[in-house]
Amino acid sequence: MKMYEELGKRTAQVEAVVEQYLPEEAGHQKTIFEAMNYSVRAGGKRLRPMLMLETYRLFGGQGKEIEPFMAAVEMIHTSSLIHDDLPCMDNDELRRGKPTTWVKYGYDMAVLAGDALMIYAFETAAKACQEGPGEKAGLVARAMGLLAAKTGIYGMIGGQVVDVELTGRPVGREQLDFIYRLKTSALLEASMMTGALLAGAEEDQLRTVEQIAAAVGLAFQIQDDILDVTGTPEQLGKPVLSDEKNQKTTYVTLEGLEKAREDVARISAEALKLLHSLPGENLFLEELIQMLVTREK
């Protein structure tokens, strides 16, 4: 119970950070601002900015330059969800218990809202230059490059491309691992590595953080596949059996439910072992990782 109370408190802190960077809903293009804000405010775990902040704290970070990046990564994540839900992609009408952006604002405005959030994310991240001391400018620039690389064609979007192209076709384990590594893990890697980078982590430590995030991302996605089969719409806030409806191969369809559960436990244990190899201690981060891969919603 104590962990859930602490999680609620820290989620509220992350929400406050993200909120302060959202655009004002005014002007001739007001509709796009409303659609962007509706999508970001729809809720969610705020996993990526939280992991970013807690990794930053693990390495002793204490400044404000982390905050624009926290907002930026949540905007990027939300952008991907808007596009995932579109009729040309997963064709979902419910997200986090609310109408998806295209249902609420129309197909055209949802496409624009997703595009707008992606661009606005980097405009927001650039504001970190105004938050940190001058000597951190180089780290901010590196972090922006890292965020772009993990988001783009060699990261999240690249994973989405392969996922879309292989929908309804046989997918092997190697291809599925590739999709999961890019589509899900890449943005988690960007989040945790950005936190470590801005706090001054060394290069070998950054590589370890990347490995941790990759493992967490894989375990998280496998658990998502499990919940798509075992959960309910009320529990998850979105349709279940969505992957089956869209004829998508998942970890569960390839390996079976029992093996999927065993692998979640194994992969998350590997992530925690790597976390313990790093200097410093962040018990909340450790418990957060454990919670994410054993969640029921």
Side-chain angles (χ1 to χ4, degrees):
M1 180 61 72
K2 186 178 179 182
M3 174 57 184
Y4 283 98
E5 290 176 1
E6 185 63 28
L7 179 61
K9 188 188 306 180
R10 299 201 189 200
T11 301
Q13 292 171 351
V14 172
E15 292 272 8
V17 170
V18 173
E19 183 68 29
Q20 68 179 321
Y21 289 100
L22 294 180
E24 180 185 358
E25 297 177 8
H28 291 296
Q29 74 273 49
K30 179 181 177 183
T31 303
I32 196 67
F33 299 146
E34 290 177 350
M36 292 164 68
N37 292 348
Y38 170 82
S39 305
V40 174
R41 289 170 177 159
K45 304 174 185 68
R46 306 305 187 202
L47 162 62
R48 290 150 193 83
M50 190 177 295
L51 284 172
M52 183 185 289
L53 178 61
E54 295 306 328
T55 307
Y56 180 70
R57 288 171 170 168
L58 175 69
F59 286 95
Q62 297 179 346
K64 285 280 195 178
E65 74 279 0
I66 194 70
E67 293 188 354
F69 279 95
M70 291 168 61
V73 78
E74 189 64 20
M75 291 174 190
I76 291 169
H77 174 56
T78 303
S79 167
S80 74
L81 298 182
I82 293 173
H83 286 169
D84 273 351
D85 291 335
L86 289 172
C88 64
M89 300 281 275
D90 290 345
N91 194 26
D92 282 330
E93 299 183 0
L94 196 66
R95 168 73 66 177
R96 295 165 177 166
K98 298 179 180 179
T100 51
T101 307
W102 75 268
V103 171
K104 177 83 171 176
Y105 289 94
Y107 197 151
D108 50 0
M109 205 55 60
V111 171
L112 291 172
D115 292 346
L117 275 171
M118 184 68 75
I119 296 297
Y120 193 61
F122 289 94
E123 181 180 337
T124 299
K127 293 177 181 177
C129 294
Q130 304 162 19
E131 297 288 355
E135 61 266 24
K136 286 211 170 185
L139 292 179
V140 169
R142 275 193 66 188
M144 288 189 68
L146 171 65
L147 188 60
K150 294 292 187 181
T151 298
I153 54 176
Y154 300 107
M156 181 187 73
I157 292 174
Q160 289 174 316
V161 168
V162 180
D163 187 33
V164 168
E165 286 189 330
L166 292 178
T167 296
R169 295 165 55 186
V171 176
R173 176 65 186 275
E174 184 180 345
Q175 291 171 310
L176 191 66
D177 284 350
F178 178 87
I179 293 169
Y180 285 4
R181 175 66 193 269
L182 269 65
K183 187 178 177 183
T184 302
S185 294
L187 208 54
L188 294 182
E189 291 165 18
S191 301
M192 295 185 73
M193 290 175 74
T194 295
L197 179 63
L198 292 178
E202 298 175 1
E203 292 303 317
D204 62 328
Q205 293 169 340
L206 278 177
R207 299 284 76 80
T208 299
V209 169
E210 184 175 33
Q211 290 177 296
I212 294 168
V216 171
L218 179 55
F220 183 87
Q221 184 58 59
I222 296 172
Q223 183 67 9
D224 212 47
D225 291 348
I226 292 169
L227 292 176
D228 190 63
V229 175
T230 64
T232 66
E234 294 75 22
Q235 184 182 21
L236 302 179
K238 62 180 181 179
V240 295
L241 301 176
S242 179
D243 294 322
E244 182 180 310
K245 177 192 74 175
N246 293 312
Q247 296 182 296
K248 283 189 176 182
T249 300
T250 71
Y251 205 92
V252 172
T253 58
L254 272 184
E255 302 287 358
L257 195 56
E258 193 58 39
K259 177 69 160 53
R261 285 174 169 149
E262 290 172 1
D263 285 350
V264 166
R266 176 181 56 79
I267 295 166
S268 58
E270 291 171 1
L272 291 172
K273 183 178 179 180
L274 285 168
L275 181 63
H276 293 153
S277 74
L278 293 171
E281 185 179 63
N282 187 328
L283 292 178
F284 177 78
L285 177 59
E286 183 175 337
E287 291 182 12
L288 176 61
I289 290 172
Q290 290 176 319
M291 180 181 293
L292 289 172
V293 298
T294 58
R295 72 195 192 284
E296 295 299 325
K297 62 180 180 178

